[in-house]
Amino acid sequence: MGGVSTVGDRVDRVPKQDRSRATRQRLLEAAVACLAEHGWAGSTVSVVAERAGVSRGAAQHHFPTREDLFTAAVEYVAEERSTALRDLFPDGAADDRHAVVSALVDLYTGPLFRAALHLWVAASNEDQLRPRVTELEARVGRETHRIAVDLLDADETRPGVRETVQGLLDMARGLGLANLLTDDTARRERVVAQWTGLLGEVLG
Amino acid sequence: MGGVSTVGDRVDRVPKQDRSRATRQRLLEAAVACLAEHGWAGSTVSVVAERAGVSRGAAQHHFPTREDLFTAAVEYVAEERSTALRDLFPDGAADDRHAVVSALVDLYTGPLFRAALHLWVAASNEDQLRPRVTELEARVGRETHRIAVDLLDADETRPGVRETVQGLLDMARGLGLANLLTDDTARRERVVAQWTGLLGEVLG
């Protein structure tokens, strides 16, 4: 009987975990979309729960506070994008440096960047949010830097290389900001082409 | 009698214009401070009027709508900063390129950038604000580009020079974003030093 019940438990437990994971994921994706579209002021747990088709109680079971939900959401999508970026260059360091720079810059356009920007800007004025977002930003920033170094095959033991890669990612963030209100694609592509060339002078 | 009354009018009128200009300026400065501290959601004409020590009626006489007040405020402070930047290098193109790059990057730190960022981000979600801020951003952006070209003595007829200066200003904006939640000064200075060197390769 013990054996049967264990099997039964396991059978029950696995789909339940799956359901729970799927619910969590739906909430995270709805949270990022909500933040990108309505900003921090318009983004509450209730709004996200409704958008995700989940009860408010279930949402709060997963994310007890508003801060929990939105920082987790931005982190989740940032991780997804990091994985997608690595998958784009499965062999690691890429021969086509221009493609790598373009892909890095693309991290800072689109709904995730908009959502993250809303969260950053809200955190700059909200004491409850600031430490969480600061820590999240540092973690995501380190991971993005690591990916950039790998894909650009940058040797950071050489003087200036680390700061060159950092400046490139700062430029990518600034280009994201320039794309917030208007479609800046054409100008961005010219800047990316030119700065990829400059990068070549340092990285060899 | 006509002559006397004209003189009287003029004497009355000039201080009145001065008072009006001073009121306007107080409102603009209070609006930028308010936006930087409380964000768009916490920034209304009433809050700014109170902060400036001006009646709500007087504030609305100067700025009929909330959008009028805040776009005018960001534009006013941006113009002040452009003037201050030009005054820093009164002879135009500066020999010390590092000083110019540092001064350009400094445009994107501090309360004005915070205020502008709140306005941009709010504009990305608010239809009433978006066209105003888009137009403002374009105008301020063109002026900043012009100052950068002048002070760096950049010859934009040479291929790649224009895009290099644009990328530099994008980087400056991205550095401003990185400074939003934490004091990023030390890292920023290293990035600026490195990219000033790279800039030299293009500008000669």
Side-chain angles (χ1 to χ4, degrees):
Chain A
M1 186 185 134
V4 170
S5 116
T6 302
V7 170
D9 279 2
R10 201 175 291 150
V11 168
D12 272 4
R13 205 187 306 131
V14 174
K16 205 171 169 188
Q17 284 182 342
D18 279 352
R19 271 204 310 280
S20 175
R21 200 180 304 126
T23 299
R24 191 172 188 275
Q25 195 167 322
R26 273 216 310 283
L27 285 166
L28 294 172
E29 281 163 2
V32 166
C34 186
L35 206 47
E37 280 170 37
H38 306 297
W40 176 250
S43 294
T44 61
V45 176
S46 297
V47 168
V48 171
E50 198 182 324
R51 185 176 189 133
V54 169
S55 75
R56 197 182 138 78
Q60 281 188 317
H61 167 73
H62 283 278
F63 304 101
T65 71
R66 192 181 176 205
E67 287 77 18
D68 291 332
L69 172 59
F70 290 97
T71 50
V74 167
E75 177 155 32
Y76 166 77
V77 183
E79 276 167 8
E80 290 243 301
R81 295 216 60 180
S82 293
T83 305
L85 180 56
R86 286 209 187 264
D87 288 350
L88 222 51
F89 304 97
D91 301 328
D95 291 333
D96 185 350
R97 191 172 282 152
H98 183 263
V100 172
V101 175
S102 292
L104 286 168
V105 165
D106 283 349
L107 285 179
Y108 300 91
T109 56
L112 169 64
F113 179 72
R114 287 169 64 98
L117 194 58
H118 279 294
L119 197 66
W120 279 338
V121 167
S124 78
N125 299 109
E126 303 220 4
D127 290 339
Q128 264 190 300
L129 200 54
R130 193 180 306 116
R132 305 278 296 266
V133 176
T134 303
E135 200 248 336
L136 168 64
E137 196 198 335
R139 210 161 53 234
V140 172
R142 273 193 302 272
E143 173 62 7
T144 309
H145 185 89
R146 204 151 31 220
I147 296 176
V149 165
D150 287 352
L151 296 185
L152 292 167
D153 200 16
D155 176 4
E156 291 202 303
T157 64
R158 288 172 52 209
V161 168
R162 186 174 173 74
E163 290 73 20
T164 302
V165 174
Q166 286 181 335
L168 177 72
L169 292 175
D170 287 311
M171 187 194 72
R173 234 189 335 254
L175 285 168
L177 212 45
N179 199 57
L180 192 63
L181 299 182
T182 49
D183 180 0
D184 190 44
T185 311
R187 187 191 73 93
R188 182 169 68 246
E189 283 175 359
R190 290 193 297 270
V191 170
V192 164
Q194 172 65 10
W195 278 56
T196 301
L198 282 175
L199 206 62
E201 317 249 341
V202 180
L203 302 184
Chain B
M1 186 184 136
V4 170
S5 118
T6 303
V7 170
D9 277 2
R10 201 175 291 148
V11 167
D12 271 4
R13 204 187 307 128
V14 174
K16 205 172 169 188
Q17 283 182 343
D18 279 353
R19 271 204 311 280
S20 176
R21 201 179 303 126
T23 299
R24 192 172 188 276
Q25 195 166 322
R26 273 216 309 284
L27 285 167
L28 294 172
E29 280 164 3
V32 166
C34 185
L35 206 47
E37 281 171 36
H38 306 297
W40 176 250
S43 294
T44 61
V45 177
S46 298
V47 168
V48 170
E50 199 184 319
R51 185 177 188 132
V54 169
S55 75
R56 197 182 138 78
Q60 281 188 319
H61 167 74
H62 283 277
F63 304 101
T65 70
R66 190 182 177 205
E67 288 76 18
D68 291 332
L69 172 58
F70 289 97
T71 50
V74 167
E75 178 154 31
Y76 166 76
V77 182
E79 276 167 8
E80 290 243 300
R81 295 215 60 180
S82 292
T83 305
L85 180 56
R86 287 207 187 265
D87 288 351
L88 220 51
F89 304 97
D91 301 328
D95 293 332
D96 186 351
R97 189 172 284 151
H98 183 262
V100 172
V101 176
S102 292
L104 286 168
V105 166
D106 283 349
L107 285 180
Y108 300 91
T109 56
L112 169 63
F113 179 71
R114 288 170 63 98
L117 194 57
H118 280 294
L119 198 66
W120 278 338
V121 166
S124 78
N125 299 110
E126 303 220 4
D127 291 338
Q128 264 191 299
L129 199 53
R130 193 180 305 115
R132 305 279 295 265
V133 176
T134 303
E135 200 248 335
L136 168 64
E137 196 196 335
R139 210 161 53 233
V140 173
R142 273 193 303 271
E143 173 62 7
T144 308
H145 185 89
R146 205 151 31 219
I147 296 176
V149 166
D150 288 351
L151 296 184
L152 292 168
D153 199 17
D155 176 4
E156 292 201 303
T157 63
R158 289 172 51 210
V161 167
R162 185 173 174 74
E163 290 73 20
T164 302
V165 174
Q166 287 181 333
L168 177 71
L169 292 174
D170 288 312
M171 190 188 72
R173 234 189 336 254
L175 286 167
L177 212 46
N179 199 57
L180 191 63
L181 299 181
T182 51
D183 179 359
D184 190 44
T185 310
R187 187 191 74 93
R188 183 170 67 246
E189 283 174 359
R190 290 193 297 271
V191 170
V192 164
Q194 171 66 8
W195 277 92
T196 301
L198 284 174
L199 210 59
E201 317 247 341
V202 180
L203 302 184

